[in-house]
């Protein structure tokens, strides 16, 4: 049997409820780091995570801790992200664990993401240990939070642990609760090798580094292992664990978590969720792996300099190894040249991927306005997937367009319910339920078109509730809507990268806003530039960028007025000729402006 002194557990919580701070205290308490090495949010390795104060990548660390019974336990901790856009990261991490610490803020109580992450843990049959954090805050209400955990989540709070991760009070009790309540891993170290690959990244010296959890058997340095989905065989060159610095080990037995280097240079050979087995003595069945993530938001990413196209492709391949939840395929745009159409789990995910590409791979990028995936029904009865507005079939063949709807659960203080309901109704939402968790806290459920949420819904929701609301959503279904394709024309030429699909009722206002923004962001030319919004061949909004005009009559003082008129007419003729051959360069700001039309 696997070592009974191993515990594999994750920390799950809503954004900003103290997961990373609690992980810091665990590192200090178990002596994994000296005082000199210690820094806040130690496991958030990325510069981007430290700047934004959020966890983006789940991190794994091995801790050795002496329990109350005097035995030394090996605790494999995974610190997970809390934001809805990274829930795929959480589900992958939970697959490698037997238990989870559910951290709830004593002042905020149960939030939207708390629920979503608990259900992920329950789906994976994990032992969930509730922990109430931040009991040092003046607004802490431990009894109220205990009631919410029992009534809203349905978890027993018999063994509830309270702590303050910031001050360190109650942290030893939390670690003891992990030892007492999280079951040890099952598995036979002598059985054929069966290990789950649950994360990976690219190292320019070592090639692909894979993070694995061993379920059965033992993996050793020098062993030849096979990846079951691709059938490729590799020799294990290096095995190690994070403590939290990487430390080499000779073997990893059933129940343990560690990383593996096998000289894999081709990044297409490793697939997240794949099963590793020994080449000589393979296991007869693969582990279930993970559900494929379904991208919800699509956007085009193009290099500013067309010569960077190859570098961008390589960067996307390497980044996909570390973040399996985004997809990409090549696309071309008349306005922007060659680039890639990328699919993301949400708007924050899109922002993070773009920033990581720019920072980690030193690229300058243009990103087009995000859009969701639509389904168009054509006269032949076929259903067409529409990833970008230019994919939409023409009006003659088109029967109907179906758009994705999500079920949004919004947790907010009771006094802001009116403002939130007005916002949801404005975004074509349908109310499903309204439930009071306590006299001061409400959960609103709405079915809303996803296209209405991806633009600035989150910002508007935070403004309407002074930052107190939190939202979680799940995909519901596709529904038929009165949708149209809104084309933007600059100087009479359609700019495919600026086209958007909108509801007919909002097309006029949206078109006006976009035209105005683009006019303000394109430089003035020697000729007048018309910016128009059109549905099919019908122009519904227009604005004009005035021409730069030299004062050709400056030298005419006094004399006959016809001299001035003649000069002005000649200038007009020149501008007309220029307009016919003129070309308008659209800067990056204009594309970004489309994103922020409602500011």
């Amino acid at each position: 049997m696997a070592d009974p002194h191993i515990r594999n557990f994750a920390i799950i919580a809503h954004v900003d409820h103290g997961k990373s701070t609690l992980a810091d205290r665990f590192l200090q308490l178990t002596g994994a780091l000296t005082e000199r090495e210690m820094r806040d949010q130690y496991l958030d390795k990325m510069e981007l995570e430290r700047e934004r104060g959020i966890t983006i990548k789940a991190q794994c660390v091995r801790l050795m801790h002496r329990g109350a019974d005097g035995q030394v336990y090996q605790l494999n901790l995974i610190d997970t992200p809390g934001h809805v856009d990274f829930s795929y990261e959480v589900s992958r991490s939970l697959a490698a664990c037997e238990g989870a610490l559910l951290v709830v803020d004593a002042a905020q109580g149960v939030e939207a993401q708390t629920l979503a992450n608990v259900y992920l843990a329950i789906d994976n049959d994990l032992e969930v240990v509730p922990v109430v954090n931040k009991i040092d805050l003046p607004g802490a209400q431990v009894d109220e939070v205990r009631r919410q955990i029992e009534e809203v989540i349905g978890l027993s709070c018999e063994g509830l642990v309270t702590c303050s991760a910031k001050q360190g009070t109650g942290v030893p009790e939390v670690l003891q609760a992990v030892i007492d309540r999280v079951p040890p891993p099952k598995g036979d170290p002598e059985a054929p090798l069966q290990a789950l690959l649950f994360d990976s990244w690219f190292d320019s010296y070592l090639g692909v580094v894979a993070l694995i959890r061993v379920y059965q058997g033992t993996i050793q340095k020098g062993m030849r292992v096979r990846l079951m989905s691709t059938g490729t065989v590799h020799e294990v060159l290096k095995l190690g664990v994070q403590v939290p610095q990487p430390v080499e080990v000779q073997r990893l037995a059933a129940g343990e978590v560690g990383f593996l280097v096998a000289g894999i240079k081709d990044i297409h050979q490793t697939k997240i969720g794949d099963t590793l087995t020994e080449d000589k003595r393979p296991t007869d069945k693969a582990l279930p792996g993970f559900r494929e993530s379904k991208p919800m938001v699509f956007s085009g990413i193009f290099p500013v300099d067309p010569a960077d196209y190859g570098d961008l492709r390589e960067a996307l391949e390497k980044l996909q190894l570390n973040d399996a939840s985004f997809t990409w395929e090549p696309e071309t745009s008349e306005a922007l040249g060659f680039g890639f159409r990328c699919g993301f789990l949400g708007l924050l995910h899109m922002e993070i991927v773009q920033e990581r590409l720019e920072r980690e791979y030193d690229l300058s990028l243009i990103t087009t306005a995000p859009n969701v995936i639509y389904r168009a029904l054509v006269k032949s009865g076929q259903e067409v997937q529409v990833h970008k507005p230019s994919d939409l079939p023409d009006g003659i063949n088109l029967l109907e367009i179906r758009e994705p709807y999500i079920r949004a659960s919004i947790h907010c203080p009771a006094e802001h319910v009116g403002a939130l309901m007005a916002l949801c109704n404005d975004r074509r939402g349908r109310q499903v339920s309204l439930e009071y968790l306590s006299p001061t806290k409400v959960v609103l459920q709405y079915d809303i078109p996803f296209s209405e949420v991806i633009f600035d819904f989150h910002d508007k929701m935070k403004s309407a509730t002074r930052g107190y609301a939190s939202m979680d959503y799940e995909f519901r279904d596709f529904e038929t809507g009165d949708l149209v394709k809104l084309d933007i024309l600059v100087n009479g030429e359609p700019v495919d990268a600026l086209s958007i699909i909108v509801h007919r009722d909002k097309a006029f206002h949206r078109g006006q806003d976009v035209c105005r923004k683009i006019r303000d962001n394109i430089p003035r030319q020697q000729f007048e530039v018309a910016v128009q919004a059109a549905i099919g061949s019908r122009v519904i909004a227009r604005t004009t960028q005035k021409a730069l005009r030299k004062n050709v009559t400056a030298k005419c003082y006094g004399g006959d007025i016809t001299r001035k008129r003649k000069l002005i007419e000649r200038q007009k003729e020149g501008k007309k000729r220029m307009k016919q051959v003129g070309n308008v360069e659209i800067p990056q700001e204009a594309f970004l402006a489309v994103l922020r039309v409602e500011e």
Side-chain angles (χ1 to χ4, degrees):
M1 281 299 290
D3 185 348
H5 298 118
I6 298 176
R7 299 289 183 272
N8 296 316
F9 71 103
I11 305 180
I12 55 175
H14 185 77
V15 185
D16 215 21
H17 278 202
K19 293 180 296 299
S20 298
T21 312
L22 188 59
D24 288 349
R25 292 297 84 79
F26 288 167
L27 291 172
Q28 277 181 311
L29 187 66
T30 55
L33 292 171
T34 62
E35 283 299 323
R36 188 173 63 81
E37 293 171 313
M38 192 63 212
R39 60 161 201 255
D40 285 348
Q41 275 82 46
Y42 187 88
L43 292 181
D44 289 349
K45 301 269 174 37
M46 259 192 271
E47 193 185 321
L48 206 54
E49 293 179 310
R50 308 186 69 75
E51 273 176 27
R52 288 176 176 248
I54 58 171
T55 301
I56 293 166
K57 282 295 300 172
Q59 296 292 342
C60 180
V61 61
R62 176 185 284 195
L63 309 168
M64 304 307 285
H65 181 62
R66 193 175 294 281
D69 55 0
Q71 292 284 351
V72 175
Y73 287 84
Q74 182 197 117
L75 308 175
N76 293 314
L77 154 71
I78 301 176
D79 179 25
T80 62
H83 198 280
V84 61
D85 282 16
F86 306 117
S87 57
Y88 186 65
E89 194 78 31
V90 181
S91 70
R92 289 210 322 246
S93 307
L94 295 178
C97 299
E98 275 80 36
L101 285 179
L102 171 69
V103 179
V104 186
D105 188 317
Q108 304 279 348
V110 171
E111 298 266 25
Q113 234 28 61
T114 317
L115 282 169
N117 288 337
V118 168
Y119 295 147
L120 275 178
I122 293 169
D123 286 347
N124 280 312
D125 291 332
L126 301 193
E127 178 64 40
V128 180
V129 181
V131 176
V132 175
N133 187 22
K134 305 194 185 183
I135 53 170
D136 56 310
L137 291 180
Q141 300 170 299
V142 178
D143 292 335
E144 173 56 32
V145 173
R146 181 195 298 264
R147 188 191 65 76
Q148 284 182 20
I149 293 172
E150 285 186 334
E151 290 182 13
V152 180
I153 301 174
L155 266 185
S156 161
C157 285
E158 213 172 295
L160 181 79
V161 192
T162 59
C163 70
S164 163
K166 196 172 182 182
Q167 295 183 345
T169 50
V171 176
E173 287 77 359
V174 178
L175 273 182
Q176 190 55 45
V178 169
I179 291 169
D180 294 342
R181 295 175 58 183
V182 173
K186 299 182 178 79
D188 180 3
E190 302 304 319
L193 175 66
Q194 196 184 35
L196 176 76
L197 193 156
F198 69 95
D199 201 1
S200 57
W201 59 92
F202 191 81
D203 184 294
S204 37
Y205 300 107
L206 302 171
V208 175
V209 183
L211 205 54
I212 58 167
R213 153 77 201 266
V214 184
Y215 278 88
Q216 299 280 0
T218 304
I219 188 167
Q220 299 182 8
K221 207 169 163 183
M223 181 186 271
R224 290 183 69 74
V225 292
R226 187 193 305 164
L227 289 157
M228 289 184 81
S229 72
T230 54
T232 52
V233 178
H234 305 275
E235 187 184 337
V236 178
L237 305 176
K238 186 176 175 182
L239 285 172
V241 293
Q242 312 267 16
V243 293
Q245 288 81 13
V247 170
E248 270 199 66
V249 294
Q250 290 302 311
R251 60 174 56 209
L252 287 171
E256 295 190 297
V257 177
F259 65 84
L260 160 144
V261 175
I264 305 170
K265 294 286 182 282
D266 180 5
I267 46 193
H268 300 107
Q269 289 179 2
T270 50
K271 186 169 176 286
I272 301 274
D274 201 353
T275 305
L276 270 171
T277 188
E278 191 179 353
D279 186 36
K280 277 187 195 160
R281 195 171 63 125
T283 178
D284 49 358
K285 69 177 204 303
L287 291 160
F290 306 108
R291 282 204 318 262
E292 289 282 319
S293 66
K294 285 197 174 70
M296 302 287 281
V297 176
F298 289 84
S299 169
I301 292 184
F302 296 84
V304 171
D305 177 1
D308 288 343
Y309 178 79
D311 294 343
L312 175 58
R313 184 187 201 103
E314 204 176 299
L316 284 167
E317 285 179 345
K318 287 178 180 173
L319 192 60
Q320 193 173 29
L321 192 66
N322 190 227
D323 180 356
S325 55
F326 87 94
T327 59
W328 55 273
E329 57 185 37
E331 80 159 341
T332 52
S333 156
E334 286 170 25
L336 302 168
F338 291 99
F340 298 92
R341 164 88 3 195
C342 300
F344 309 94
L345 298 182
L347 218 55
L348 178 67
H349 188 211
M350 179 182 117
E351 251 179 75
I352 296 293
V353 168
Q354 190 192 347
E355 269 197 64
R356 283 186 72 180
L357 286 169
E358 287 181 345
R359 287 182 187 205
E360 294 173 26
Y361 302 97
D362 204 22
L363 295 164
S364 296
L365 304 172
I366 292 176
T367 312
T368 62
N371 62 286
V372 298
I373 195 164
Y374 295 93
R375 287 181 181 169
L377 200 66
V378 291
K379 282 185 179 164
S380 62
Q382 193 186 351
E383 197 172 65
V384 181
Q385 296 257 12
V386 180
H387 288 263
K388 56 182 189 286
S390 56
D391 292 346
L392 198 67
D394 55 30
I396 305 164
N397 293 321
L398 191 64
L399 285 178
E400 60 178 45
I401 308 175
R402 293 175 184 156
E403 60 180 332
Y405 267 70
I406 58 165
R407 166 124 341 146
S409 301
I410 307 171
H411 291 231
C412 71
E415 69 259 30
H416 299 305
V417 168
L420 260 185
M421 287 169 87
L423 173 64
C424 292
N425 292 335
D426 180 51
R427 297 301 170 98
R428 300 190 283 131
R430 295 193 302 265
Q431 189 176 332
V432 178
S433 67
L434 187 154
E435 188 187 339
Y436 276 79
L437 296 184
S438 72
T440 57
K441 198 164 186 186
V442 177
V443 181
L444 271 172
Q445 281 201 325
Y446 266 85
D447 284 349
I448 306 180
F450 194 44
S451 57
E452 297 282 355
V453 174
I454 63 168
F455 269 95
D456 57 353
F457 183 83
H458 200 261
D459 298 348
K460 287 272 197 309
M461 177 187 82
K462 290 288 185 191
S463 305
T465 60
R466 299 198 197 144
Y468 283 111
S470 66
M471 182 176 96
D472 177 46
Y473 61 80
E474 58 181 34
F475 171 70
R476 293 283 297 162
D477 203 1
F478 281 85
E479 294 186 21
T480 305
D482 186 12
L483 303 169
V484 290
K485 179 181 163 199
L486 187 68
D487 286 314
I488 303 298
L489 292 83
V490 176
N491 206 20
E493 291 290 316
V495 183
D496 58 351
L498 292 175
S499 298
I500 39 181
I501 295 173
V502 289
H503 194 270
R504 195 181 293 275
D505 294 349
K506 299 193 170 188
F508 170 66
H509 295 294
R510 192 64 192 277
Q512 263 190 328
D513 288 340
V514 174
C515 288
R516 202 167 50 238
K517 278 280 184 186
I518 291 171
R519 180 199 66 199
D520 294 347
N521 282 282
I522 55 174
R524 287 173 74 180
Q525 311 290 324
Q526 290 288 346
F527 50 89
E528 201 174 79
V529 177
V531 182
Q532 298 163 307
I535 297 172
S537 58
R538 191 164 65 94
V539 173
I540 58 165
R542 172 189 166 129
T543 180
T544 307
Q545 175 70 292
K546 293 278 184 257
L548 282 169
R549 267 191 62 189
K550 183 182 173 189
N551 187 359
V552 288
T553 60
K555 61 180 185 281
C556 300
Y557 46 92
D560 194 347
I561 188 71
T562 54
R563 286 177 66 206
K564 285 188 180 181
R565 284 204 187 123
K566 202 187 288 175
L567 287 167
I568 290 170
E569 285 304 317
R570 200 182 297 161
Q571 185 187 33
K572 241 188 230 169
E573 281 301 312
K575 290 209 182 294
K576 200 187 264 179
R577 265 203 315 278
M578 245 190 270
K579 186 170 185 177
Q580 282 162 4
V581 297
N583 213 347
V584 183
E585 283 287 314
I586 300 175
Q588 159 89 9
E589 288 74 47
F591 292 102
L592 296 177
V594 177
L595 280 173
R596 297 190 290 263
V597 284
E598 297 198 19
E599 273 178 16

